[in-house]
Amino acid sequence: MAEQEGVLHGIWETVKTIVYALLIAGVFRTLFFQPFWIPSGSMKDTLLIGDFLFVNKMAYGYSYASCPSIRIPALGIDIGADDFCGVFQGDKSDPDYQGGDRLWGSQPERGDVVVFRHPVTGRDFIKRLIGLPGDEIRIVDGHLFIDDTPVQVVDDGIFEEIFAPQGPQGLRPRCANGAVGMGAVCEKRRYIETLPNGVSHSILDIRDQSFDNTGVYTVPEGYYFFMGDNRDNSRDSRESQASGGVGFVPYEDLVGRADRVVFSSAGRSMLYFWTWRGDRFFKKIE
């Protein structure tokens, strides 16, 4: 009898330990840092498929979007931040809605690399903040204009990568040098873009496309305009939400700022340590 009680006590202690660990992890992820795995090439070459980073949730304060989401497609689990903390979410259908509120909120800066919730689907996206409230954004022949002023761009040569499946989804890169065979060098033109506040970062160009020339986007109060650094391979604020893009992103949908890559895997899993990219450990995101 005593032996049986000892076994039950051991099981109970194990369960308590697991519960406590999950609670601590949940609090840490909600308040401080959220892990993020780069699934696509929309932010190349700033961020590569397989980069693993932590998002600084303290950077802009807290909103409903700070709550964690749990998505495990294989098990049919799809719980978003609004399911956990929807009571704190603003009413986007309200005519007076202006991006929502945040607790201890601070404004993001132009050029920040930001993780945010898609305003419609609730999925996590990561892009670069280009337009602030009140800005007028336009693309002319592939060049970014902010308030009718062209952003400075300098040629920075060629970005090269191997044409092969990348990451868990096996995505293949798009190439500026045409259709290349598996294992061949895939090229894109690289430029250094300097935003009005002095933030410089690289962007990639593949070929002429429809979003190389756009109308004027006037960013509403309380909203932001985002673009991917891989300009010809990014669904972002240039495309409306109705068309599958991001559109303007409200303030309360920001999750946090991405500051540094922790490590990076070129393979299909972060567990394949032999595919880790040695030059990207703790790399600063610029």
Side-chain angles (χ1 to χ4, degrees):
M1 187 66 175
E3 182 178 349
Q4 187 177 28
E5 289 179 353
V7 171
L8 292 175
H9 178 73
I11 293 174
W12 174 240
E13 289 300 317
T14 300
V15 170
K16 286 198 298 183
T17 299
I18 293 173
V19 170
Y20 291 154
L22 291 174
L23 287 173
I24 292 171
V27 170
F28 183 85
R29 179 172 175 176
T30 300
L31 296 180
F32 303 111
F33 298 97
Q34 174 179 315
F36 194 86
W37 180 264
I38 302 299
S40 73
S42 69
M43 281 294 292
K44 289 180 181 176
D45 65 335
T46 303
L47 297 172
L48 304 180
I49 295 176
D51 280 352
F52 182 82
L53 49 90
F54 283 99
V55 179
N56 180 359
K57 287 191 168 185
M58 299 174 285
Y60 311 131
Y62 302 95
S63 71
Y64 88 95
S66 303
C67 289
S69 57
I70 302 175
R71 291 189 168 92
I72 309 176
L75 300 178
I77 298 175
D78 189 351
I79 304 174
D82 53 340
D83 295 313
F84 284 116
C85 300
V87 66
F88 303 112
Q89 187 175 12
D91 182 4
K92 292 184 174 70
S93 64
D94 186 341
D96 296 324
Y97 177 82
Q98 290 189 328
D101 297 319
R102 306 184 73 88
L103 179 65
W104 301 317
S106 60
Q107 297 297 318
E109 296 182 6
R110 196 192 310 274
D112 284 356
V113 176
V114 180
V115 171
F116 57 88
R117 309 285 188 197
H118 189 286
V120 175
T121 68
R123 303 287 179 176
D124 286 344
F125 274 59
I126 185 166
K127 306 288 181 185
R128 190 177 298 276
L129 198 163
I130 297 296
L132 302 174
D135 283 346
E136 292 186 345
I137 308 295
R138 187 179 184 186
I139 313 298
V140 179
D141 294 331
H143 295 282
L144 173 65
F145 282 66
I146 300 178
D147 295 333
D148 288 330
T149 302
V151 170
Q152 179 186 342
V153 176
V154 178
D155 194 320
D156 194 41
I158 299 294
F159 170 73
E160 296 182 349
E161 58 185 335
I162 300 301
F163 185 80
Q166 299 178 351
Q169 301 177 51
L171 301 177
R172 298 178 183 182
R174 295 176 60 198
C175 311
N177 54 328
V180 300
M182 195 67 65
V185 175
C186 175
E187 298 180 349
K188 301 175 181 63
R189 174 66 64 180
R190 178 166 49 198
Y191 300 90
I192 299 299
E193 183 177 80
T194 301
L195 298 172
N197 61 344
V199 173
S200 295
H201 59 96
S202 66
I203 59 173
L204 301 182
D205 178 69
I206 301 173
R207 61 176 62 94
D208 292 340
Q209 63 169 25
S210 59
F211 285 110
D212 283 344
N213 288 280
T214 71
V216 175
Y217 304 92
T218 302
V219 186
E221 189 64 33
Y223 288 78
Y224 299 91
F225 188 96
F226 289 91
M227 294 176 68
D229 290 348
N230 191 359
R231 292 287 165 83
D232 293 339
N233 193 42
S234 174
R235 306 196 76 169
D236 46 42
S237 293
R238 292 171 291 177
E239 191 173 1
S240 70
Q241 296 163 9
S243 301
V246 169
F248 300 122
V249 178
Y251 182 44
E252 69 172 351
D253 282 354
L254 306 186
V255 175
R257 186 181 64 225
D259 295 325
R260 195 173 295 272
V261 174
V262 178
F263 70 89
S264 181
S265 172
R268 296 184 65 86
S269 169
M270 60 186 290
L271 300 178
Y272 297 170
F273 63 88
W274 56 90
T275 67
W276 289 4
R277 302 178 177 107
D279 61 337
R280 296 188 69 80
F281 282 99
F282 303 103
K283 180 178 177 63
K284 183 176 174 27
I285 297 173
E286 299 177 340

